[in-house]
Amino acid sequence: MSRLNDANLAVAKETIARYPRVKSALIPVLHLAQEQDGYVSTEAMAHIAELMGLTPAEVYGTASFYEMFKFEPVGRYCINVCTNISCQLVGGWELLEHAEEALGIKAGSTTPDQMFTLEDVECIAACTEAPALQVNYRYRNKVTPAQFDAMITALRAGELVDEFPPHGTLSRIRQGLPENWADTGRTAQAEVDAR
Amino acid sequence: MTDTPAYHVPGMVPTGPKLITGRFDQVDGFTYEGYVNTGGYTALRRALTEMTPAQVHDEVRTSEMQGRGGAGFPAGTKWGFLPAGVFPRYLVINGDESEPGTYKDRLLMERDPHQLIEGVLIAAYAIGAAQAFLYVRGEMALAQERLVLALKDAYANNLVGRNILGTDFSVDITLTWGAGAYIVGEETALIESLEGERGMPRLKPPYFPAAKGLYMQPTIVNNVETLANVPWIINHGGQEFHDIGAPTSTGMRIFAVSGHVNSPGVFEVPNGVTTFRMLFEAPEYCGGIRNGSSVKAFIPGGASAMWFFPEHLDMALDKPTVDQAGSMLGSGAIVVMDETTDMVAACWRIVRFFSRESCGKCTPCREGTTWLERILKRILDGHGRPEDLDTLLEVCESISPGIAWPPRQTTICPLGPSAVSPIASAVRKFRHEFEHYVQFGRPIEGVHQHAIHGSVAHV
């Protein structure tokens, strides 16, 4: 959709300053692009390449390895149902099947109104709370079909926005560069790199 | 801790002290105030003002704490691999918890982030790190939020950054995160990811990042749970830690017990406890198998581990004992399967995981896991062929010659051989279930049929 806006550009620069080498900030900055647009756009990747002294291919080369990055628009809410072993044993597949019927789509696709994307995902580290799912990377544990339906109804009604921020948003708090940042890593690494 | 000898008797003492999960039930355990009010940051103060880095290292060495990430390598020994006089050095914290069945690091980050930060700072001091990188799994949004908040408070209180607590020790902690890739849990893949690359494991040698790691500088990669134990070790001494648990696997250990138990849960138990205790003891633990059923098989250490069976329930869970029995404690993930479990489906699901998560660098793993998954899926779909079982084992042989434990590798990292574990376990022990599928196109009587669907083509 677009390049990083001014506010996100400032965050990106601050992020880069936290690493001894620029490219280390690539994944966090890609997340920033995804937070801005809901997915990682081609324009954003070109902008990031510019910012970090990389080629767009290098940026995409890294980004395409990681499952969380989406390169085309997804639903406002990404629902990731875990079907790995601990969830499978106690109804993960049955929950996924229910979700497909309730949303009218197959796992791996998005509802026509762009509200929901449904995915069949690998272990999300909630094994004792199975069957578990994530909505925009926030957990719901031991989910029954009735609870799933209630959640969908609430989301369609515009509720639960505090619990589930828009897709792409991970930490809602920015790290920033603290006043007493020591910068010893970057300084020492720059010396080594100069040799 | 005068009563510690009791912990050495496997299964005799169901509960022990809470070393690192004590704040899990504390409502404000994740806040700076909640942490400081319960003794937080005293170990850091002690380390920085009363101890030399070498003394801190000695305490950790004395504790003989084994790494909690999966391989179980002693942390103190690992720190000792750093080449003398080579700087800058880095500390990388592996919070990319993704091994199926594993659920502990996320809790440690969400519910007690300051404890982890304190452990990181003490470790950074001991090894002389110029900077620490806390690599958290991308999908763990709450853990990231809690750690950002905790780091902000720690910086504001002069516990991280320049001249910590007025001493001449300075170190930064950068919170960084991934974007969905199990393989990044392998330490060299994690370093690649931290350098902004595709998360593929590096060719060995060098065998240890301690020699050449991040930016090819000496680097220590430690698991979250490992470092969370460090403040306790400094507060109480390495010897006291050593006295807890089993002599060959010291300290407490967090186990997540999931699957067909009445109350699945995450428990901090002394190393050396038996699985039986954790499964059947109530109310502290799982309170038995659901519906009065019994154990058909269980995985002792995450999806990569060889499966165990009812005869292993009384075995002490310490590293050498479990290793000798042909599996591993891994990341402390116990997955319990009762008599209604479809072993072919269970086996397929774990193999599908490894097939999906193979990074593609080594041919035996990339091709092998793909074919294993496809063959298992066609058996599951009722299209199995009589020769399929032999083909499965043949492919397993190509990935891990001998199909033994510990696995031999034809690959750079252990992901490929990990896909062999469920097949070797299930085919050997439940061969008739596979044969039944091949012959009749459906599972044996009495097992649960899953609503599995999928788009994997029959081959």
Side-chain angles (χ1 to χ4, degrees), chain A residues 18-19 24 31 61-62 66 68 83 86 89 120 122-123 125 138 172 174-175 180 182-184 189, chain B residues 90 106 130-131 137 145 152 155 162 172 175-176 178-179 193-194 196-198 215 258 260 349 352 356:
Chain A
R18 283 198 297 269
Y19 296 89
S24 283
H31 274 298
T62 293
Y66 299 92
M68 284 173 80
T83 58
S86 298
L89 290 173
D120 147 26
E122 299 300 344
C123 185
R138 268 75 184 174
R172 284 167 289 193
R174 300 281 185 218
Q175 285 186 72
N180 50 335
D183 211 30
T184 47
Q189 190 61 45
Chain B
Y90 297 109
R106 178 161 78 87
Q131 192 168 346
R137 183 171 169 191
E145 265 171 20
K152 273 184 179 298
Y155 265 103
R162 214 180 309 124
D172 287 312
L175 173 67
T176 190
S193 183
L194 190 45
E197 306 293 340
R198 296 168 76 83
Y215 315 128
S258 62
H260 294 149
R349 187 58 188 84
R352 191 192 83 163
R356 267 187 169 190

Side-chain angles (χ1 to χ4, degrees), chain B residues 156-171:
Chain B
N157 286 283
N158 191 218
L159 296 159
V160 196
R162 214 180 309 124
N163 300 113
I164 296 170
L165 294 169
T167 67
D168 57 6
F169 176 63
S170 302
V171 73

Side-chain angles (χ1 to χ4, degrees), chain B residues 123-375:
Chain B
Y125 175 69
I127 66 170
Q131 192 168 346
F133 300 89
L134 235 168
Y135 189 108
V136 180
R137 183 171 169 191
E139 290 93 330
M140 296 177 177
L142 180 63
Q144 291 164 30
E145 265 171 20
R146 293 262 166 99
L147 281 163
V148 171
L149 197 69
L151 277 171
K152 273 184 179 298
D153 286 339
Y155 265 103
N157 286 283
N158 191 218
L159 296 159
V160 196
R162 214 180 309 124
N163 300 113
I164 296 170
L165 294 169
T167 67
D168 57 6
F169 176 63
S170 302
V171 73
D172 287 312
I173 300 179
T174 291
L175 173 67
T176 190
W177 55 97
Y182 165 74
I183 188 57
V184 166
E186 199 272 352
E187 57 184 4
T188 62
L190 193 148
I191 288 169
E192 285 288 307
S193 183
L194 190 45
E195 292 185 0
E197 306 293 340
R198 296 168 76 83
M200 292 172 157
R202 286 180 178 171
L203 193 63
K204 285 107 183 148
Y207 290 101
F208 295 102
K212 286 190 189 306
L214 185 63
Y215 315 128
M216 296 313 263
Q217 292 297 122
T219 304
I220 293 295
V221 184
N222 280 145
N223 170 260
V224 165
E225 187 187 345
T226 310
L227 290 180
N229 273 293
V230 169
W232 195 94
I233 292 174
I234 295 306
N235 274 329
H236 297 82
Q239 189 55 49
E240 197 161 326
F241 185 93
H242 192 274
D243 289 343
I244 303 171
T248 46
S249 278
T250 60
M252 304 289 284
R253 178 91 204 230
I254 306 182
F255 282 97
V257 189
S258 62
H260 294 149
V261 286
N262 280 322
S263 18
V266 179
F267 314 111
E268 186 177 10
V269 295
N271 266 308
V273 74
T274 65
T275 310
F276 185 88
R277 280 277 162 183
M278 274 192 278
L279 297 200
F280 294 96
E281 197 87 15
E284 306 95 318
Y285 299 139
C286 299
I289 309 304
R290 66 166 192 184
N291 304 329
S293 185
S294 52
V295 176
K296 188 169 179 180
F298 67 99
I299 309 175
S304 304
M306 289 280 190
W307 298 1
F308 274 169
F309 307 101
E311 61 266 31
H312 296 101
L313 282 171
D314 282 325
M315 177 189 294
L317 294 176
D318 65 71
K319 186 170 156 49
T321 311
V322 175
D323 285 353
Q324 211 172 0
S327 189
M328 64 170 182
L329 275 182
S331 48
I334 297 180
V335 183
V336 181
M337 300 178 246
D338 74 5
E339 292 294 343
T340 67
T341 310
D342 179 341
M343 289 315 192
V344 182
C347 179
W348 164 74
R349 187 58 188 84
I350 296 174
V351 172
R352 191 192 83 163
F353 168 76
F354 289 113
S355 151
R356 267 187 169 190
E357 298 297 337
S358 172
C359 79
K361 189 165 182 168
C362 309
T363 311
C365 171
R366 182 186 64 241
E367 299 298 318
T369 55
T370 303
W371 281 104
L372 291 175
E373 193 272 338
R374 286 183 178 190
I375 295 167

Side-chain angles (χ1 to χ4, degrees), chain B residues 370-402:
Chain B
T370 303
W371 281 104
L372 291 175
E373 193 272 338
R374 286 183 178 190
I375 295 167
L376 283 164
K377 187 64 166 60
R378 84 173 164 213
I379 294 176
L380 210 52
D381 286 345
H383 302 282
R385 303 166 190 170
E387 67 273 20
D388 276 352
L389 283 185
D390 290 336
T391 313
L392 279 176
L393 293 173
E394 211 174 288
V395 178
C396 287
E397 270 283 338
S398 311
I399 301 174
S400 181

